[in-house]
Amino acid sequence: MNKLYIGNVSAEASEEDLESIFKQWKIPHSGPFLVKTGYAFVDCPDEKAAMRAIDVLSGKVELHGKVLEVEHSVPKRQRSCKLQIRNIPPHMQWEVSANRRLTPSRVAMEKLNGSMMENYALKVSYIPDETAAPEGPPSGGRRGFNGRGPPRAGSPGLGARPKVQSDIPLRVLVPTQFVGAIIGKEGATIRNITKQTHSKIDIHRKENAGAAEKPITIHSTPDGCSNACRTIMDIMQKEAVDTKFTEEIPLKILAHNNFVGRLIGKEGRNLKKIEQDTGTKITISPLQDLTLYNPERTITIKGSIEACSRAEEEVMKKIRESYESDMAAMNGQPESETVHLFIPALAVGAIIGKQGQHIKQLSHFAGASIKIAPAEGMDAKQRMVIIVGPPEAQFKAQCRIFGKLKEENFFGPKEEVKLEAHIKVPSFAAGRVIGKGGKTVNELQNLTCAEVVVPRDQTPDENDQVIVKISGHFFACQLAQRKIQEILAQVRRQQHQQQQPKTPSGSQPLTPRRK
């Protein structure tokens, strides 16, 4: 059997309620529900049914106002007094052992699971005792547990999934005299940073012998990279005080030249905004410093450690966005899009549903992030729905929203549902959407039967983007959106080709010296 533990169960819930949910989602179970105070157990006929229950229900389905948590049940004989606590703030340790005499593990489990810590909802589960004999015959290697230890890291029953490591590492330059302090005695300091921030850190000590600065490469999630960078800045500051080093120690980030133009933005708008938001001064090394051996620019950030840390997060966010955009364009993968869809203000309740149930199900079905923006005023007649996802997800989400408005009679029986959608395009690409003398936009309207407008005299936003307005029925809006995205993809490909570094005829591009 594959026994499941169902947590966060409301006191009002009954066996019939749980049975109804399993029936609704077509999940088979091979026995009755054993309902206790705050939790329940049920057996599934096979591993496939158990994993489907975890994937479909855990953290996604509500019962009497509480979101159910579903995971594989750990038999009592296999429980130790060690608990695994997930989804904790990044700077804290990942596991704690509960002392039976001070805080029994069962009590800790009940009190901690679901409680909030610095805006993180803790997920607590037992770690199976490796020395305990399993109950009953071996199950033949279930997907959630094996005979020797805890669930695999990616199991849906472990609460929040681990964050994905960024493909773009954080590379910084540090003064050579501080490298020893960063490494520490016998590497103790760098090992501690690596452990605390869950990162891999390479200090390139042997590069550029005699140079005043050494590069450091940090591989981790974006948060992990930022935390490691902040710790390194703290160590350098302390070492400067101890050695009476009086010069300012700026943060220096290395970034490939292909990404720097988009970081700066048109007329430097992006960079100015980061400076204003973080209270820092940012300069970038000139193009003349680039060589075939070194295609990286040095981004120098001056300010307090706290301000530099915030600026690093914003700078690397822009660089990662540029990288992901380039990879999507090169690989032909669908890139995530953002669409603002405007619906009648009175329809917001129907889209959200009771206790947010409908919008959650819609988001899950479409594979998109769907949020309702706050009303712009007390008398606002429209509300903005923010949909973020690739083209297929956009199609599914918008189709369901159009359909829901029709079902709920926000439009007459013979009236076609027509909504307005806004998409943002780079200001330099707006002319391509309009075309010479409005030729392209007129062709768009004739082809799609949607009204397409690029308002004149727009002021680009902080990302140097302007709005394109699309109005019409569902298929008209979708076709217009796709055509405009095709234009933007063509612009991005041309921009990418122009940014490729040119090499002398007959020679091969050389690998950068820094790693």
Side-chain angles (χ1 to χ4, degrees):
M1 289 294 181
N2 288 265
K3 180 171 282 190
L4 294 178
Y5 165 83
I6 306 173
N8 202 31
V9 177
S10 169
E12 302 170 16
S14 64
E15 180 180 342
E16 290 76 17
D17 291 333
L18 293 170
E19 190 165 355
S20 175
I21 287 177
F22 272 60
K23 185 177 180 181
Q24 176 188 348
W25 292 97
K26 298 179 181 178
I27 301 170
H29 57 94
S30 53
F33 289 84
L34 181 60
V35 181
K36 302 288 186 179
T37 305
Y39 61 94
F41 296 97
V42 69
D43 286 324
C44 288
D46 52 36
E47 175 195 354
K48 184 178 179 181
M51 290 308 301
R52 173 167 165 75
I54 291 171
D55 284 330
V56 171
L57 303 180
S58 187
K60 298 170 184 172
V61 174
E62 285 188 11
L63 179 60
H64 295 301
K66 287 194 169 186
V67 180
L68 299 178
E69 296 289 346
V70 184
E71 59 186 47
H72 286 287
S73 173
V74 181
K76 285 185 178 180
R77 288 176 58 189
Q78 285 185 268
R79 295 179 190 170
S80 67
C81 61
K82 181 177 280 190
L83 300 177
Q84 192 164 50
I85 304 178
R86 297 277 175 174
N87 201 35
I88 64 176
H91 59 275
M92 301 186 69
Q93 296 297 319
W94 283 59
E95 293 181 1
V96 297
S97 291
N99 187 304
R100 290 188 187 276
R101 290 173 296 175
L102 298 178
T103 309
S105 56
R106 180 179 60 82
V107 176
M109 175 99 167
E110 293 174 356
K111 290 186 176 293
L112 291 178
N113 195 30
S115 62
M116 300 298 293
M117 176 176 287
E118 298 181 13
N119 294 324
Y120 288 77
L122 301 181
K123 306 289 184 183
V124 185
S125 58
Y126 285 106
I127 295 179
D129 187 351
E130 295 180 359
T131 62
E135 293 185 347
S139 61
R142 280 160 50 187
R143 185 176 172 186
F145 287 105
N146 56 40
R148 296 179 287 111
R152 60 186 178 84
S155 171
L158 287 178
R161 296 177 186 269
K163 292 183 178 178
V164 179
Q165 177 171 307
S166 172
D167 289 334
I168 288 284
L170 170 61
R171 286 175 46 78
V172 296
L173 280 176
V174 301
T176 302
Q177 64 262 43
F178 296 136
V179 169
I182 294 168
I183 295 173
K185 188 175 181 181
E186 297 179 350
T189 304
I190 196 69
R191 280 199 303 273
N192 190 41
I193 299 172
T194 300
K195 183 178 179 182
Q196 287 183 346
T197 61
H198 309 293
S199 56
K200 179 180 181 296
I201 303 175
D202 296 321
I203 300 179
H204 308 286
R205 300 179 68 183
K206 296 181 181 180
E207 287 191 18
N208 304 330
E213 295 172 316
K214 297 290 183 183
I216 295 178
T217 304
I218 305 169
H219 298 268
S220 185
T221 63
D223 286 345
C225 289
S226 295
N227 291 335
C229 179
R230 170 65 186 263
T231 304
I232 288 171
M233 286 192 288
D234 287 335
I235 291 170
M236 290 195 296
Q237 186 63 44
K238 183 177 183 303
E239 182 69 9
V241 172
D242 292 344
T243 58
K244 297 181 180 178
F245 183 84
T246 56
E247 295 179 22
E248 183 180 11
I249 309 171
L251 172 62
K252 294 188 176 182
I253 298 174
L254 296 171
H256 198 286
N257 181 54
N258 282 1
F259 309 137
V260 171
R262 282 165 283 182
L263 167 65
I264 295 171
K266 189 175 182 180
E267 298 176 354
R269 287 181 190 144
N270 292 349
L271 212 57
K272 288 175 185 175
K273 186 175 189 305
I274 295 174
E275 287 180 322
Q276 292 169 359
D277 291 347
T278 61
T280 55
K281 177 65 178 174
I282 304 176
T283 56
I284 298 178
S285 60
L287 281 167
Q288 289 83 345
D289 291 353
L290 295 177
T291 66
L292 284 175
Y293 298 99
N294 175 28
E296 291 177 307
R297 307 269 292 272
T298 302
I299 303 163
T300 303
I301 306 172
K302 293 184 178 181
S304 66
I305 290 179
E306 182 67 33
C308 287
S309 183
R310 292 200 306 272
E312 176 272 325
E313 292 176 7
E314 295 300 320
V315 166
M316 288 306 298
K317 180 181 176 183
K318 289 287 184 188
I319 289 172
R320 291 184 185 107
E321 286 174 355
S322 299
Y323 169 80
E324 289 165 4
S325 176
D326 286 356
M327 290 303 294
M330 290 171 64
N331 298 334
Q333 297 173 351
E335 190 175 349
S336 185
E337 303 167 0
T338 300
V339 176
H340 295 169
L341 190 65
F342 290 83
I343 64 172
L346 296 175
V348 169
I351 298 298
I352 294 175
K354 188 176 180 181
Q355 296 177 335
Q357 191 69 19
H358 182 263
I359 199 169
K360 288 178 185 175
Q361 291 175 350
L362 174 56
S363 180
H364 179 68
F365 162 78
S369 166
I370 304 173
K371 297 179 180 178
I372 309 288
E376 294 185 354
M378 294 291 291
D379 300 326
K381 293 182 178 180
Q382 289 188 318
R383 290 285 291 276
M384 183 169 69
V385 183
I386 305 170
I387 308 170
V388 181
E392 183 181 357
Q394 291 286 350
F395 184 94
K396 289 181 177 179
Q398 293 180 46
C399 181
R400 283 289 181 95
I401 291 172
F402 272 77
K404 186 69 173 176
L405 296 180
K406 186 69 173 177
E407 288 172 17
E408 300 291 337
N409 298 318
F410 288 101
F411 291 80
K414 296 182 180 180
E415 187 181 3
E416 200 167 25
V417 179
K418 291 186 178 181
L419 299 177
E420 183 174 304
H422 291 182
I423 60 176
K424 290 187 175 183
V425 304
S427 61
F428 61 82
R432 294 286 292 273
V433 176
I434 297 170
K436 188 174 182 180
K439 181 181 177 182
T440 304
V441 76
N442 287 335
E443 288 177 351
L444 268 175
Q445 294 185 119
N446 292 333
L447 174 67
T448 65
C449 299
E451 183 183 353
V452 181
V453 178
V454 183
R456 296 182 179 276
D457 304 323
Q458 286 190 74
T459 301
D461 62 13
E462 66 274 8
N463 296 318
D464 195 31
Q465 293 181 318
V466 295
I467 292 171
V468 176
K469 298 180 179 181
I470 304 165
S471 303
H473 60 76
F474 171 68
F475 287 105
C477 277
Q478 283 300 301
L479 185 54
Q481 288 176 40
R482 297 275 55 82
K483 290 297 181 183
I484 291 171
Q485 292 295 348
E486 286 175 12
I487 294 171
L488 297 180
Q490 186 179 14
V491 171
R492 283 193 292 267
R493 283 193 297 270
Q494 291 174 351
Q495 188 183 41
H496 179 75
Q497 290 168 0
Q498 292 169 0
Q499 289 177 342
Q500 290 297 314
K502 295 180 180 179
T503 56
S505 177
S507 67
Q508 295 292 325
L510 298 176
T511 305
R513 185 182 301 172
R514 294 189 179 113
K515 296 182 179 177

